[in-house]
Amino acid sequence: MTAETDTPRTAGSCCSSTGSQGGAADAGAAGVTTVYEVKGMTCGHCEGAVSEEISEIEGVTSVKAEAATGRVTVTSAAPLTDEAVRAAVDEAGYELVGRQA
């Protein structure tokens, strides 16, 4: 079981004991979440390559790349510089378009 599953829940609610459903609210407690747009990803291998390189940036705790949308969601202990993310994406062989709003 995960820590979230083991956490007591509010009676009659799908939310955690803190009243949140997960996602952005919980991610804030774990760090900074930023969504980037990456050009050139077409498959699971692409997602893995981008995720692996970005995961090596100091402070990164989570990476989720989606080839279908070109979105890469990164959670880190502190804000990352665009230069660090760009270098990691370049190393994987793809192009960082920028941050998504």
Side-chain angles (χ1 to χ4, degrees), residues 3-35:
E4 182 66 25
T5 304
D6 293 335
T7 303
R9 305 224 177 243
T10 306
S13 173
C14 64
C15 297
S16 71
S17 61
T18 60
S20 64
Q21 283 188 331
D26 286 344
V32 178
T33 300
T34 308
V35 180

Side-chain angles (χ1 to χ4, degrees), residues 50-83:
V50 169
S51 295
E52 183 177 337
E53 291 296 334
I54 293 175
S55 292
E56 292 181 12
I57 300 171
E58 187 175 338
V60 170
T61 58
S62 169
V63 180
K64 181 180 179 190
E66 300 174 48
T69 62
R71 291 172 51 128
V72 179
T73 304
V74 180
T75 303
S76 55
L80 303 175
T81 66
D82 287 344
E83 293 79 19

